[in-house]
Each structure stands twice: as structure tokens, then as C-alpha cells.
């Protein structure tokens, strides 16, 4: 029991280190640096002495290996560094942005699972009928229309018709004003949930349709088992492994989608922090945020792997 | 069975409607959901306040925001005339080598201390110190000493006559700050100025909040507080205005402005900047080193059509000096409007009767209309056989190539000034800092710029700067295109605000703005 866990942990750490190196190298390959990002074309107006002073301020002169190892050393000591543009500790910036994105991610997943599992189950129980067509139509919509289009249309519609755009008031924490917070997060979460729900819906529908045709399933129906017990115990629980796997994959895409949706809905989450930091060539922030994204994805997928042993007793013996 | 199904659907619909109604304001769609402050005047911008040290800001929004907290000695009025600010009057003595400034009495910083000549000298010395890295330091580079001349007067001694020093003092990069704050190094963390508003809070990337300065020397400020928030898309800013959650939105995209309902008020002003196709005269194997090829481009350009296509008509054709008393009129000495016959004649004179090819870089990240301008000009140039390839880059790649002069031509949005010397000495002057990206070195234009800076009467200045505009366009040094409008979209209850072309004074009218 312990050995697979250690092996999984080692694999996680290796992946994270790989992400660290790749992100670090890619950022250094980008043209420009914090000085040009900060000053723009005005950097050309600075004298040599001024440029030297500002290079020193931003730490631009250090060699790349020197930058990498000093950053790695700081990371290992729990220090994420200081933002080059705002001079705020990266941990402070991430600390205020991460809860917003987590809340958005959790709410999007809940809505996505509700939409996906709900329509997937209904579609599979009534294949090729209007209920199934509605679900399939929603899935095509969710998969083909990008979240930034859905988000832009949604805010424009809500603002022009209902004069409603709560997230533009400035974000309010969940514990400060739960009701306003719910209003601010609901619509961005709904926007993201269409894409998530579409993928989960298709998986659920396919899995349930397959299970419906298996012998044990037909026998249960033949023996006169009640509809609710049949759907819950034989169809849903058996489809859960496929649904959980797809939900884990969607979580990864969710983080990517949140980057755009946070921008549209004015949520001060980690996605928005990432976009601003890339534009500003704020390397310490970009590196830390990317690492958090990667860690989040790896942790969620590891948890999903572990959850299989709970969901499907057959995997425990493997 | 059918009845049961109908009631189930009805229940689901009722639940969904109830949830939607509850989410959007307790059953009724409300303009401002609970939590909205009615006292704070909220402005939205796609950018965010990036720095709070006025000496090093370069971002437009930083100038606008900090322009409410800090003040320079002299300011540029919305009519582009230099007028008093913290200096009430000034005189030139010693044959234009000494500038004497009288300071305003009774002005207090936010920390409560009185503004005196000690603060003024300390502020200017900080601005020109190399370690500050003030991008405007070169504008007053001819000043060799700053001296207190009593508690309310300072004296600037110049190494040579340079009338543009006064323009140099109008920028927020020359803001006045307390000598004590400079000494203890608190400027970069806590703004402390003399303007109508005081710094309150800053959340990098999200918001910047100020409160009214109760001791403001310019009179009572009616808005209790102002908050600038970042909304990354202009469409979302428009939505927030319609929802009534913000009072003002900074907009640049004419398409978004035209989509706003009539209830939203718009105040627009031509920006103190210009759009231009910068052409490099000195690139190896480039057709643009031939003045006749460049003149052909200038004559094939239809500025009005570019404005119509790229900005929905929201701009005006511009020459080298877009606004102010020395504005270039006509916009070009050779081809103020499109003249294809003349363009073909220049091509023939260049030995390229069938045209030529070149590449122009753009960056939509720096100027959202850049690629649209390029596409329209591309079609216009094709009419005379000139092929322009468009290379659209991200902002940092563009800046990197621009600074290194690694381009044949570049669509650029450059900052302007009513004084042409301030605008062009940095590009074409004898010791130009930006001569590499400018890509044009010529002793005649250097002499014309120096002569203009020495002119003292308005008539002499007008004549001198007309000669500069004439030279720049008759040699097609660059292809000057247009000046665009900036828009401030406002909620219906905002009163007393008018937009200004001056960047650091863009929000200055908030000192007298109120909500009805």
C-alpha cells in the first residue's frame, strides 16, 4: 500500500520539477524583459547610468542559471519571491488571488457535473428522443462555443436588459458578504460550466448506454427492480469511474478557461494575475502561478486516481 | 401522467426563475446589488495602476491616477497652454539662462507639511538623479543647478538657452513631493502630494483608491472618494456602465463607444499623441532609404479613409504636430490628401515605376487599432503598386525591435507635446536619445529644431515650427497619419466632467465633478 503511494509522490515531484524547468526556460526565450515591459518605448529615453540603475532594480543583469537556482532555493524555503512590477511579495499576490479561482473552480465543477450528469443520464434513459436531443444540443453548444463568447454575451445581456453586473463592484470575499459573493461567482461559473458539462454529459451518456446493455443490468430490470434503485445502483454507480475520470480532465481545462473568464467578469483571481504578469514580464509571479496550476492539476488527478479505490472496489485488489 | 409531467416542468421552471431572480437582486433586477457604495466614484479602465512613484511612471493610467494626487510646478491646460500650478509665475533672466519660479503659498502635502522651495528643489533633484531612472529627466537635461531662492522661490540655471525646459516641468514625472518623504524613501510605497485627492489604497492589478483632500488649495472637492478599477475588456466596461456599477469608463475603441445606449454620456477629446508610419532611412537593402519611395507612400496615403476604417471616423488627420498653437497645417507640405498621380510620379523618380515591397510591424497589444490601420494603408499602397507586408507582434517583441531599430517601417502611437522641440529633439535632434528607432539623421532638421527652441516670440516660434513640419513632411521622414479621440463614458448622473487631451490632467476635472 505504501510503495505505490511513494511511487506516485515521486512521480508528482518529478513532473513538478519538469514544469518548473520548462516554464523557466520558455519565459527566458520570450523577447523583452521586465524593463522594456515596464517602461515600453520610453526605455530608449534613459541614459546609460539610468539603465544600469533600473537593471539592478529588476535584477535583469543576473545570469540565467543564477536566476534559476536562486529562485529554486527560495522556493524550497517557502519564499516565492517578490513581484517585479508591484514589489509586493508573490505569496501575498497569490494568497489573495488563489481563493477566488478556487471558489470559481469549485462552483464551475459543481454546475458542470450537475449539467453533465443530469443531461447525460436523462439522454441515456431516453435515447434518440427529445430529452436526448436537448442534451446533445447543449453538448454541441458547450463544446463549440468558446467560454469568452458565452461570457461576453452573458454580461452584455444581463447589463443591458437587467442592469446587472455584480462582479464589476469589486470582488467581495465569501465570508465578508456571502450573498454578493455568490452573485459575483455564479455567472462566471455558469459560463465555464457549459464546456465542462458538455464533456461530462457525453461521457455519462455513453457509459450509461453501455451499462444498460450489459447482462446484469438487463437482469435487474427483468427482475422488476424499481426505476430509482436501478438508475442509482446499477447505472450511475457503475458509470461513476468514467464520470470521475472526465471530471479530472476537465479540471485541467477549467484552470485554462478561468484565465479568460476572470478577465471578462472582473474577478481578481489567479488567471487574471497570470495574464497581467506575462504582459509585464513579471517572471517570479508567472513562474509561481504556473507552478500552482501544474500542482493543482497533478494533485487533483492523483486524488482522482486514489478515489477509484473508493468508487470501484475491484481496483483495490489490483 | 401528462398532468404530472407538466407540473414537474412547471416546478423546475419556477425554481430556475426564482434562483435567477434571487441572484439578480432579491426578486427584482437591481441596478446596484447590495454592497454597492454610493459614495465612491468608480472609474474603470482596461489597464491598471502599475507604479505609484510619479517620477518613474510611463503607463497612461498611472499618469491619470497620480495626476489627481501629485502636481508639478506648471501644468498644461486642456487648451495646451502652460499655466501656473504649484508655481504661480516665472521669469527668464540672464539672457534665457536662468529660470526663476515663484511658488504658491499655503499649499500642504497630504502629510500636513507646508510646501516650500526646499521640497521643490529636492523633488527636481530626485527626478534628474540617475538612480531614479525618470524617463523625462532628459527634458530638463539642460538645467545644471536647482537652488532655493527664499522659502517660496527657486532658481534653475541652464547650461545653454532652452525654452522647452518649461514644457519639461509640466509632466507628472516632475511632480512635487515632500523633501522628508524623499529622504526616508517612502514615495514608492505611499504617495504624498498636494492634489485634490489623497492616496487611500492600492491593490496591484485590481484597484487604486483615493479620498478627497480636505486641505486642497484649489477649493472643496465634491467627490468624497474615487476608485479606479481594472476591467480588462472594453465590452465589460460598457456592461458595467449600463449596469450602473461604475460611474465612468475609459474607452478607446469607437465600436464599443457607438454600441453604448444614449443614456450614457460621452466626453471626447483628441489625444495628445499621434499615429504614424515610422520609416527607417538607414536599413540595408531597404527601399525606404530613397526619399522618393517614401514620398510615394506619403502621397498614396488616404488618412481620412484610415480613420474611417480603423476608428469608425473618430479621429482627425494629423501632421507632425497634431495639436496646440504650432499644429501642422496643412498636415503635409507635399500631399495633405491622397494623390495617386503624384505617388506614381515619385515612384518613377525613384526608378521604381511598378512599385516596391517593404515590411511594416504593428502591435495590436500596444494599439488595438494598429493592424486595422495597416490593413487599410496596405490596400491604398497597392493602388500604386507598393506591397506592404504586415508583421503583427506582441508588445514586448515590438518594443524590443523598435528600440533596436530592427524594422523597415513601424506603425506607432507616439506621445505628443504642443512644443515640437520636446516632441522631436529626442528623435531627430543632435543628441537624440531615440535616433536609432527614429532611423533618420540629417543636420538640417537638427538645426531647424535648435533654432525653434531658441525662438522667444510667438510669431518667431510659429514660423520656426512651421519650417520643421514642412521639412519633415516634404522629406517624408515618416508618414504621419492621424490623431484619435479618447472617450470618457459616464453615467447619466455625472456632472461637470470634460475630457482633456493632456494625459496627466485627463482626470483633473474630477476636482470639480459631482453626482446629481
Amino acid at each position: 500500500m505504501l510503495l505505490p503511494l511513494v511511487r506516485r509522490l515521486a512521480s508528482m515531484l518529478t513532473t513538478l520539477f519538469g514544469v518548473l524547468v520548462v516554464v523557466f526556460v520558455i519565459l527566458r526565450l520570450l523577447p523583452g524583459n521586465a524593463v522594456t515591459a515596464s517602461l515600453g518605448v520610453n526605455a530608449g529615453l534613459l541614459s546609460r547610468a539610468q539603465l544600469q540603475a533600473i537593471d539592478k532594480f529588476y535584477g535583469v543583469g543576473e545570469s540565467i542559471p543564477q536566476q534559476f537556482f536562486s529562485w529554486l532555493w527560495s522556493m524550497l524555503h517557502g519564499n516565492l519571491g517578490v513581484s517585479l512590477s508591484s514589489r509586493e511579495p508573490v505569496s501575498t499576490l497569490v494568497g489573495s488571488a488563489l481563493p477566488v479561482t478556487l471558489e470559481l473552480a469549485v462552483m464551475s465543477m459543481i454546475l458542470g457535473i450537475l449539467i453533465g450528469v443530469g443531461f447525460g443520464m436523462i439522454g441515456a434513459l431516453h435515447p434518440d428522443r427529445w430529452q436526448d436531443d436537448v442534451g446533445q444540443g447543449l453538448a454541441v453548444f458547450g463544446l463549440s462555443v468558446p467560454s469568452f463568447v458565452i461570457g461576453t454575451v452573458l454580461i452584455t445581456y444581463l447589463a443591458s436588459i437587467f442592469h446587472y453586473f455584480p462582479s464589476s463592484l469589486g470582488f467581495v470575499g465569501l465570508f465578508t458578504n456571502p450573498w454578493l459573493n455568490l452573485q459575483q461567482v455564479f455567472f462566471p461559473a455558469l459560463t465555464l460550466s457549459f464546456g465542462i458539462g458538455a464533456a461530462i454529459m457525453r461521457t455519462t451518456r455513453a457509459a450509461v448506454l453501455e451499462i444498460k446493455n450489459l447482462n446484469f443490468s438487463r437482469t435487474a430490470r427483468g427482475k422488476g427492480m424499481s426505476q430509482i434503485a436501478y438508475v442509482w445502483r446499477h447505472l450511475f454507480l457503475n458509470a461513476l469511474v468514467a464520470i470521475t475520470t472526465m471530471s479530472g480532465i476537465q479540471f485541467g481545462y477549467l484552470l485554462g478557461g478561468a484565465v479568460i473568464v476572470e478577465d471578462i467578469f472582473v474577478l481578481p483571481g489567479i488567471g487574471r494575475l497570470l495574464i497581467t504578469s506575462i504582459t509585464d514580464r513579471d517572471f517570479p509571479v508567472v513562474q509561481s502561478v504556473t507552478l500552482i496550476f501544474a500542482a493543482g492539476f497533478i494533485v487533483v488527478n492523483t486524488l482522482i486516481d486514489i478515489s477509484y479505490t473508493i468508487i470501484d472496489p475491484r481496483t483495490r485488489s489490483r | 401522467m401528462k398532468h404530472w409531467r407538466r407540473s414537474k416542468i412547471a416546478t423546475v421552471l419556477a425554481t430556475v426563475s426564482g434562483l435567477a431572480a434571487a441572484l439578480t437582486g432579491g426578486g427584482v433586477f437591481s441596478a446596484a446589488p447590495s454592497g454597492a457604495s454610493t459614495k465612491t466614484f468608480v472609474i474603470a479602465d482596461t489597464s491598471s495602476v502599475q507604479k505609484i512613484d510619479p517620477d518613474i511612471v510611463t503607463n497612461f493610467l498611472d499618469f491619470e491616477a497620480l495626476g489627481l494626487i501629485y502636481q508639478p510646478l506648471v501644468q498644461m491646460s486642456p487648451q495646451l497652454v502652460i499655466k501656473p500650478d504649484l508655481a504661480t509665475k516665472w521669469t527668464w533672466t540672464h539672457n534665457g539662462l536662468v529660470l526663476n519660479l515663484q511658488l504658491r503659498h499655503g499649499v500642504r502635502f497630504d502629510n500636513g507639511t507646508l510646501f516650500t522651495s526646499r521640497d521643490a528643489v529636492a523633488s527636481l533633484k530626485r527626478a534628474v538623479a540617475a538612480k531614479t531612472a525618470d524617463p523625462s529627466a532628459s527634458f530638463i537635461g539642460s538645467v545644471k543647478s536647482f537652488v532655493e531662492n527664499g522659502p517660496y522661490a527657486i532658481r534653475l540655471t541652464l547650461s545653454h538657452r532652452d525654452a522647452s525646459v518649461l514644457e519639461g516641468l509640466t509632466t507628472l514625472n516632475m511632480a512635487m513631493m515632500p523633501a522628508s518623504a524623499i529622504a526616508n524613501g517612502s514615495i514608492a510605497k505611499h504617495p504624498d502630494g498636494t492634489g485634490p485627492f489623497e492616496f487611500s489604497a492600492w491593490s496591484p492589478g485590481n484597484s487604486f483608491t483615493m479620498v478627497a483632500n480636505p486641505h486642497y488649495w484649489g477649493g472643496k472637492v465634491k467627490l468624497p472618494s474615487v476608485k479606479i478599477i481594472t476591467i480588462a475588456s472594453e465590452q465589460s466596461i460598457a456592461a458595467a456602465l449600463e449596469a450602473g456599477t461604475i460611474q465612468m469608463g475609459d474607452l478607446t475603441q469607437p465600436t464599443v463607444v457607438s454600441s453604448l445606449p444614449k443614456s450614457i454620456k460621452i466626453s471626447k477629446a483628441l489625444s495628445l499623441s499621434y499615429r504614424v508610419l515610422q520609416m527607417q532611412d538607414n536599413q540595408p537593402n531597404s527601399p525606404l532609404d530613397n526619399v522618393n519611395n517614401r514620398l510615394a507612400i506619403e502621397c498614396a496615403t488616404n488618412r481620412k479613409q484610415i480613420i474611417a476604417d480603423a476608428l469608425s471616423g473618430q479621429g482627425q488627420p494629423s501632421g507632425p504636430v497634431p495639436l496646440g498653437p504650432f499644429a501642422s497645417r496643412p498636415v503635409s507640405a507635399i500631399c495633405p490628401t491622397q494623390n495617386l498621380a503624384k505617388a506614381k510620379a515619385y515612384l518613377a523618380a525613384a526608378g521604381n515605376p511598378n512599385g516596391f515591397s517593404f515590411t511594416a510591424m504593428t502591435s495590436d497589444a500596444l494599439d488595438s487599432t494598429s493592424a486595422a490601420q495597416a490593413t487599410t494603408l496596405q490596400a491604398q499602397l497597392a493602388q500604386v503598386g507598393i506591397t506592404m507586408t504586415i508583421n503583427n507582434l506582441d508588445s514586448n517583441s515590438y518594443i524590443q525591435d523598435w528600440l533596436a531599430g530592427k524594422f523597415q517601417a513601424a506603425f506607432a502611437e507616439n506621445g505628443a507635446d504642443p512644443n515640437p522641440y520636446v516632441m522631436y529633439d529626442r528623435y531627430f535632434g543632435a543628441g537624440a536619445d531615440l535616433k536609432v528607432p527614429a532611423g533618420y539623421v540629417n543636420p538640417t532638421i537638427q538645426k531647424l529644431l535648435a533654432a525653434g527652441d531658441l525662438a522667444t516670440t510667438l510669431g518667431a516660434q510659429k514660423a520656426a515650427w512651421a519650417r520643421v513640419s514642412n521639412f519633415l513632411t516634404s522629406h517624408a521622414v515618416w508618414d504621419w497619419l492621424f490623431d484619435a479621440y479618447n472617450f470618457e463614458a459616464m453615467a447619466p448622473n455625472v456632472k461637470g466632467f470634460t475630457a482633456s487631451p493632456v494625459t496627466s490632467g485627463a482626470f483633473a476635472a474630477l476636482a470639480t465633478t459631482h453626482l446629481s
Side-chain angles (χ1 to χ4, degrees), chain B residues 128-153:
Chain B
V128 297
K131 70 173 182 183
T132 307
D134 185 328
S136 299
S138 62
F139 294 160
I140 59 165
S142 55
V143 179
K144 62 179 185 183
S145 72
F146 306 91
V147 181
E148 295 170 38
N149 190 13
Y152 291 104

Side-chain angles (χ1 to χ4, degrees), chain A residues 31-34 36-47 49-51 53-54 58 85-86 88 93 96 129-131 152 155-156 158-166 168-170 177 179-180 182-183 186-187 263-269 272-273 276 278-281, chain B residues 5 9 19 22-26 29-37 42 48 50-51 56 58 127-131 133-135 137-139 202 204-206 227 229-233 235-237 239-240 242-246 394-400 402-403 426 433-434:
Chain A
N33 56 36
T36 51
S38 163
L39 291 171
V41 294
N42 289 305
L45 291 171
L46 298 185
S47 65
Q50 285 178 311
L51 271 175
I54 202 163
Y58 283 115
S85 54
S86 70
E88 291 272 321
L93 296 174
S96 65
R129 290 174 63 189
W130 70 267
Q131 295 95 327
T152 306
I155 57 158
T156 306
L158 287 170
S160 58
I161 307 294
F162 302 112
H163 304 294
Y164 182 75
F165 189 7
S168 64
L169 288 166
N177 186 340
W179 184 234
L180 182 57
L182 180 67
Q183 294 183 62
F186 178 77
F187 289 103
D263 242 9
I264 295 169
F265 284 93
V266 206
L267 291 181
R272 229 175 102 188
L273 181 65
T276 316
I278 290 172
T279 311
D280 294 348
R281 298 291 188 268
Chain B
R5 190 176 290 165
I9 291 168
L19 182 65
L23 276 173
T24 49
F29 292 110
S30 59
S34 58
S37 167
V42 183
S48 62
Q50 293 168 3
K51 298 190 196 87
I56 59 167
T58 50
V128 297
K131 70 173 182 183
D134 185 328
S138 62
F139 294 160
W202 178 41
N206 295 316
K227 185 176 185 180
I229 62 167
T230 306
I231 296 183
S233 101
Q235 200 61 50
S236 300
I237 292 178
E242 288 194 57
T245 53
I246 63 171
D394 92 293
S395 58
N396 270 279
S397 305
Y398 178 99
I399 291 165
Q400 199 86 337
W402 190 87
L403 287 172
R426 62 171 89 171
D433 298 315
L434 298 174

Side-chain angles (χ1 to χ4, degrees), chain B residues 28-187:
Chain B
V28 177
F29 292 110
S30 59
S34 58
S37 167
T38 52
K39 289 182 179 174
T40 302
F41 187 90
V42 183
I43 303 169
D45 193 286
T46 52
S47 177
S48 62
V49 172
Q50 293 168 3
K51 298 190 196 87
I52 53 175
D53 179 344
D55 280 352
I56 59 167
V57 297
T58 50
N59 182 28
F60 280 165
L61 185 65
D62 292 4
F63 276 107
E64 292 169 349
L66 293 175
L68 290 172
I69 295 175
Y70 286 102
Q71 293 173 309
L73 290 170
V74 285
Q75 61 168 302
M76 193 69 71
S77 74
Q79 293 74 36
L80 305 178
V81 175
I82 296 176
K83 66 175 200 177
D85 206 335
L86 291 182
T88 52
K89 57 183 176 180
W90 53 90
T91 53
W92 289 96
T93 57
H94 297 77
N95 197 27
L97 289 173
V98 173
L99 175 62
N100 303 284
L101 295 125
Q102 292 293 322
L103 306 184
R104 193 175 292 279
H105 289 243
V107 175
R108 286 191 183 276
F109 287 106
D110 300 332
N111 68 8
T113 59
L114 267 177
F115 166 66
T116 66
S117 56
R118 185 168 161 262
D119 302 302
V121 168
S123 300
L124 293 174
K125 282 185 173 172
R126 181 180 191 264
V128 297
K131 70 173 182 183
T132 307
D134 185 328
S136 299
S138 62
F139 294 160
I140 59 165
S142 55
V143 179
K144 62 179 185 183
S145 72
F146 306 91
V147 181
E148 295 170 38
N149 190 13
Y152 291 104
I154 62 167
R155 190 170 63 231
L156 276 58
T157 306
L158 281 64
S159 58
H160 58 274
R161 278 174 60 189
D162 180 6
S164 71
V165 162
L166 209 53
E167 256 92 3
L169 292 175
T170 61
T171 167
L172 196 75
N173 291 143
M174 298 291 155
M176 295 296 108
M177 49 190 80
S180 56
I182 294 171
N184 66 29
S186 63
I187 290 297

